Amino acid sequence: MNNESKSVIERKDFQALFDALSAEGYKISGPTVRDNAVIYDEIGSAEELPIGWTDHQEGGSYRLTKSKKKTLFGFILGPYTWKKLLYPPEKKIWEAQKSDRSFEIVEAESKPIKQAFVGVRPCELKAIGIQDKILRDGQHSDPEYGALRRNLFIVAVNCTNPGNNCFCVSMNSGPGVSDGFDLALTEMFNGKDHYFVIEAGSRAGKKILEKIPHRPAKPEELEQAEKAVERAASKMGRSLDMKGLKEILHNNFDSHYWGEIAKRCLTCGNCTMVCPTCFCCNIEDTTNLGGDRAERRRYWDTCYSVDFSYIHGGSIRSTDYSRYRQWLMHKIAYWQDQFGTPGCVGCGRCITWCPVGIDITEEAGAIREKA
Amino acid sequence: MAKMQNKSKTSDISLIDPMLVQAYTIQRVVRETFDTFSLELEPQSGGGEFKFAPGQFNMLYVYGVGEVPISISGDPSKEKPLIHTTRAVGTVTKAMKNLKVGDTIGIRGPYGSSWPVKEAEGYDVVIVAGGIGLAPLRPVIYYLLQHRNKYGRIVLLYGTRTPEDMLYRKQLEKWRSRFDLETYLTVDRATGSWRGNVGVVTTLIGRAPFDPLHSVAVVCGPEIMMRYTVLELLKRGVDEEKTYISMERNMKCGIGLCGHCQLGSSFVCKDGPVYRYDNIKHAFTMWEM
Ligand SMILES: Cc1cc2nc3c(=O)[nH]c(=O)nc-3n(C[C@H](O)[C@H](O)[C@H](O)COP(=O)(O)OP(=O)(O)OC[C@H]3O[C@@H](n4cnc5c(N)ncnc54)[C@H](O)[C@@H]3O)c2cc1C
Ligand code: SF4
Ligand code: SF4
Ligand code: FES
């Protein structure tokens, strides 16, 4: 990172970022508070950000509280992930019109909208990169995902205040970003001064930055911002020792400990829905009542369902423990064999949103210990 | 005129959606057994070259009902017709069984890995099939016979539950009368006028005429049958690295995007369905992987 290229935007000028993005034709999505949670949705101005909100996360628990600090990004992560906007939970792929004894396919119209995501956490940026490998860079790819990615503008926000369930340091995905963004911010607030250290990571980022009132960052501002991110790295709520873990898991596929975990697991699939890297989907073909029109839809799916692995004669993974095992093995071990990276970025969502608080770091750690 | 047009209105999307299907017309339906049938298909958009490697599969779409993976079972040297042999077991395959000549079926493919016909050159080839498992292996038999002088002995071992469950019966008769292909058939249970072998297909392996130290084996059938077959082959001295099996898993996309077909670290739709045994044996022998 080149410090000379870093600037400062004052809080009072932050709206200019939204104005500049809108002027460039981006549809802006960002964090906003709804139903007692921070979610990602279309927002028009900086005022819709979760100003002054923080979240408290534990295994199986999430709580939003107002703090006196009027920070814009003082929360950690909510249940939503950006994949919702790049690979929607439900999508029509095509329709078919019946004609005599044949049918004609009409591809679903999909407009590759220009989107800007404001407030992408470093771990989430890493997760987008992981989904790119799967959905965009393989032998076959999802054309809509590719188009949305090409038209995406990313405003990343470094973390200075990690939560109890965060372990991005273990997964090498945070708390600061290094690349893959258009703009990256570090929010600084000390009661008196409230400003953002900002850095452009692409030509599109530079172009937007030029339209926002900014000034060169002072050396002490840079140092404080860097320190804040460094401090965050030492404040991780959890950790996962990845050293040799892939091999340990492979060698312990048979461990009876999986059965212990399964006693608690409800196989609800929440962890796969909130995970920013899970990509599994189901395809459904249907017709209308008259039968002259058929369609194909794609839905997010989860390996926790019995049907997921069904083949004639029965499900491959019929026991609860085999499905929990599939999830954890996939995240940590198989994924590395398949895509050269773990399928976990350490965001902690699966821990927070598990109804019984099962913790991937604890369970993987336990397998290591029992090994 | 092509019936199937890609009416995409998108400009930015340069790639064609891999989930689109091509319409094929059913030219002929062959009833193989009481629950198994072969469809001969030709594309409605003309052209009609369909190139595939023995062992690959297509996704077959029955209008409005659903889509399932089915191996290609025709002759790989012929670009028409495209042939699929399917056993009616559930929603989609039963609906498929009700289709008639002139009806339309949607096709995507070919996908997946193939049988090692090149690697097998110079070797004896042992083909072991159980039940519907002969369908994905038939393209290999066509290929080997067309390139007969490149191989040593070729042995086909085929087992079904009863004589009535045998696929391609006329063809089996023809193959049996050839001198350059050793065909051995067996049934679990003899019915009617059956005078041949009775017993599971693995019982044929011990006495089949091939040189185990100089053979390539290709195996397809129910998973349990493949387990015992591989054990027998290894026992006779065939190399794990010269033994190939074809796996079945739930498949929704066929192209590595839906995650359903995962078997340990591999995706059966793109890394398989055909695997060299030593590469998959770890997953193959693990329960509920
Ligand atoms: C690579 C490959 C090649 C195959 N080749 C052939 C072939 O040549 N001939 C043949 O008769 N069958 C073949 N099968 C099996 C065939 O795909 C299933 O019999 C078929 O999917 C059953 O669908 P259904 O809707 O009729 O059954 P249902 O029991 O109603 O199935 C519901 C759904 O479960 C899944 N499913 C069920 N059984 C299987 C299965 N055995 N394998 C994969 N998914 C399944 C499908 O998604 C199906 O839509 C092959 C399977 C694979 C994976
Ligand atoms: S198999 Fe399970 S853990 Fe893996 S991506 Fe799919 S849903 Fe997620
Ligand atoms: S597995 Fe859990 S901690 Fe890891 S990326 Fe997914 S939701 Fe986050
Ligand atoms: S069938 Fe979808 S990933 Fe293999």
Side-chain angles (χ1 to χ4, degrees):
Chain A
M1 254 178 281
N2 176 5
N3 277 343
E4 255 108 87
S5 67
K6 291 189 182 172
S7 314
V8 160
I9 313 183
E10 297 295 340
R11 165 65 182 93
K12 66 175 169 47
D13 295 322
F14 199 72
Q15 178 58 33
L17 170 64
F18 282 73
D19 298 341
L21 289 169
S22 298
E24 282 293 314
Y26 289 106
K27 184 178 135 192
I28 305 170
S29 292
T32 190
V33 174
R34 204 155 304 154
D35 297 330
N36 292 317
V38 171
I39 65 154
Y40 298 149
D41 204 354
E42 198 173 339
I43 53 176
S45 81
E47 298 314 305
E48 291 175 58
L49 291 168
I51 298 176
W53 287 100
T54 45
D55 49 8
H56 302 274
Q57 309 194 19
E58 294 293 343
S61 125
Y62 174 91
R63 203 159 38 83
L64 261 194
T65 55
K66 262 288 190 196
S67 91
K68 281 185 228 79
K69 291 186 178 177
K70 292 283 170 247
T71 48
L72 306 190
F73 301 98
F75 57 92
I76 306 144
L77 290 165
Y80 279 37
T81 61
W82 301 104
K83 76 178 178 187
K84 183 172 161 281
L85 300 165
L86 292 172
Y87 200 61
E90 179 185 349
K91 188 193 176 270
K92 189 198 291 175
I93 300 175
W94 47 252
E95 274 185 46
Q97 176 69 47
K98 201 167 166 67
S99 56
D100 193 19
R101 296 177 76 182
S102 184
F103 53 82
E104 194 178 346
I105 302 279
V106 189
E107 202 178 341
E109 196 175 340
S110 57
K111 289 196 204 83
I113 39 169
K114 273 176 88 170
Q115 301 187 92
F117 295 170
V118 175
V120 177
R121 294 294 186 189
C123 62
E124 299 185 294
L125 193 58
K126 175 102 174 224
I128 292 173
I130 291 174
Q131 288 216 319
D132 287 348
K133 286 194 181 196
I134 302 162
L135 301 173
R136 187 191 67 185
D137 303 339
Q139 194 200 343
H140 294 278
S141 58
D142 184 77
E144 188 188 59
Y145 180 87
L148 288 173
R149 271 302 271 121
R150 266 199 303 287
N151 291 294
L152 178 63
F153 188 99
I154 294 178
V155 182
V157 177
N158 290 321
C159 292
T160 54
N161 229 335
N164 280 332
N165 294 341
C166 294
F167 56 103
C168 58
V169 168
S170 306
M171 305 315 291
N172 217 352
S173 63
V177 289
S178 47
D179 53 15
F181 54 85
D182 295 292
L183 288 173
L185 310 170
T186 309
E187 180 173 31
M188 299 303 289
F189 181 86
N190 60 16
K192 190 162 62 71
D193 302 319
H194 190 182
Y195 59 91
F196 298 85
V197 173
I198 188 164
E199 176 193 7
S202 70
R203 218 186 295 159
K206 277 205 188 95
K207 194 167 153 200
I208 293 291
L209 184 56
E210 276 160 22
K211 297 188 177 172
I212 313 171
H214 65 281
R215 58 170 173 81
K218 296 178 205 144
E220 62 270 25
E221 286 171 334
L222 282 180
E223 200 190 309
Q224 277 167 15
E226 250 161 52
K227 281 249 164 69
V229 177
E230 270 167 35
R231 255 197 319 276
S234 65
K235 287 196 298 192
M236 286 290 124
R238 305 196 181 235
S239 68
L240 176 59
D241 180 2
M242 286 294 288
K243 193 157 169 278
L245 189 55
K246 181 182 110 170
E247 289 71 24
I248 291 173
L249 289 174
H250 274 306
N251 294 336
N252 285 277
F253 183 85
D254 265 354
S255 165
H256 65 265
Y257 185 69
W258 297 108
E260 292 301 309
I261 310 171
K263 284 186 187 149
R264 297 169 63 211
C265 179
L266 309 175
T267 65
C268 66
N270 269 12
C271 52
T272 56
M273 297 295 116
V274 296
C275 179
T277 66
C278 271
F279 60 92
C280 286
C281 61
N282 199 2
I283 309 290
E284 271 181 37
D285 289 300
T286 52
T287 49
N288 63 2
L289 278 180
D292 58 330
R293 202 88 184 162
E295 61 178 40
R296 171 165 296 179
R297 285 182 171 273
R298 183 188 72 211
Y299 301 86
W300 284 359
D301 203 355
T302 172
C303 56
Y304 281 94
S305 86
V306 181
D307 287 349
F308 188 86
S309 62
Y310 177 82
I311 66 170
H312 178 66
S315 177
I316 299 282
R317 290 184 282 273
S318 58
T319 59
D320 294 354
Y321 82 85
S322 71
R323 299 201 294 284
Y324 181 83
R325 180 175 62 192
Q326 165 62 22
W327 175 77
L328 193 127
M329 290 292 295
H330 191 208
K331 290 280 132 194
I332 309 283
Y334 303 154
W335 212 297
Q336 295 194 57
D337 298 332
Q338 295 168 343
F339 304 108
T341 164
C344 173
V345 296
C347 75
R349 283 185 180 88
C350 55
I351 308 171
T352 305
W353 298 96
C354 174
V356 296
I358 296 176
D359 178 342
I360 184 171
T361 64
E362 251 172 51
E363 304 308 344
I367 299 272
R368 174 192 290 279
E369 252 153 52
K370 314 243 142 130
Chain B
M1 238 315 276
K3 271 259 167 66
M4 185 75 65
Q5 283 159 356
N6 183 0
K7 283 202 183 163
S8 167
K9 297 182 190 82
T10 54
S11 49
D12 192 332
I13 295 180
S14 50
L15 294 157
I16 293 176
D17 195 318
M19 294 306 286
L20 290 176
V21 301
Q22 298 300 319
Y24 276 64
T25 305
I26 299 174
Q27 301 287 351
R28 207 160 92 89
V29 181
V30 181
R31 270 191 71 117
E32 305 286 358
T33 73
F34 79 102
D35 64 356
T36 305
F37 55 95
S38 294
L39 300 178
E40 299 189 4
L41 308 166
E42 285 195 17
Q44 289 172 11
S45 58
E49 300 122 82
F50 191 94
K51 291 207 168 64
F52 72 97
Q56 288 194 298
F57 67 95
N58 279 326
M59 296 298 287
L60 270 61
Y61 168 69
V62 179
Y63 176 84
V65 182
E67 194 180 46
V68 289
I70 303 288
S71 305
I72 305 164
S73 58
D75 182 343
S77 72
K78 292 201 182 116
E79 289 173 352
K80 285 183 201 194
L82 172 62
I83 301 180
H84 284 288
T85 302
T86 307
R87 189 168 151 230
V89 295
T91 319
V92 178
T93 48
K94 281 181 182 160
M96 201 186 293
K97 187 168 175 247
N98 291 332
L99 296 177
K100 307 214 154 45
V101 169
D103 284 344
T104 300
I105 206 158
I107 298 283
R108 298 192 283 127
Y111 300 133
S113 61
S114 54
W115 299 110
V117 289
K118 281 271 176 288
E119 293 84 337
E121 285 180 8
Y123 289 90
D124 289 356
V125 184
V126 191
I127 304 158
V128 192
I132 186 80
L134 185 59
L137 284 169
R138 190 167 66 162
V140 179
I141 302 172
Y142 283 126
Y143 185 96
L144 298 179
L145 294 179
Q146 280 155 13
H147 303 83
R148 186 64 193 88
N149 57 8
K150 291 196 173 141
Y151 302 93
R153 274 167 293 187
I154 303 177
V155 183
L156 168 64
L157 311 177
Y158 182 38
T160 57
R161 266 172 301 170
T162 70
E164 287 74 38
D165 292 310
M166 295 223 158
L167 301 182
Y168 315 134
R169 259 172 286 182
K170 279 208 191 103
Q171 208 159 18
L172 283 173
E173 283 310 317
K174 274 195 208 142
W175 286 339
R176 268 228 289 203
S177 62
R178 288 180 73 127
F179 295 110
D180 56 355
L181 170 68
E182 310 262 2
T183 304
Y184 297 85
L185 308 176
T186 183
V187 296
D188 297 350
R189 191 160 47 85
T191 54
S193 58
W194 182 260
R195 296 242 179 69
N197 297 304
V198 178
V200 290
V201 73
T202 45
T203 57
L204 300 176
I205 293 168
R207 48 200 166 96
F210 62 90
D211 173 2
L213 301 179
H214 206 70
S215 290
V216 167
V218 292
V219 185
C220 189
E223 220 163 296
I224 187 82
M225 166 267 176
M226 293 199 289
R227 256 169 229 266
Y228 287 112
T229 300
V230 170
L231 282 180
E232 279 305 313
L233 288 166
L234 300 183
K235 209 163 91 188
R236 238 196 105 172
V238 180
D239 210 331
E240 282 185 352
E241 286 142 51
K242 300 223 168 52
T243 302
Y244 293 77
I245 59 175
S246 182
M247 295 299 294
E248 242 177 68
R249 281 299 178 267
N250 185 303
M251 291 187 181
K252 290 294 171 187
C253 73
I255 51 175
L257 298 177
C258 78
H260 278 256
C261 67
Q262 289 178 80
L263 171 60
S265 297
S266 92
F267 287 86
V268 176
C269 68
K270 57 175 192 185
D271 304 319
V274 175
Y275 291 93
R276 210 173 77 181
Y277 183 69
D278 58 319
N279 291 332
I280 197 68
K281 104 177 151 180
H282 171 70
F284 187 58
T285 48
M286 284 293 181
W287 198 242
E288 295 199 302
M289 185 173 263

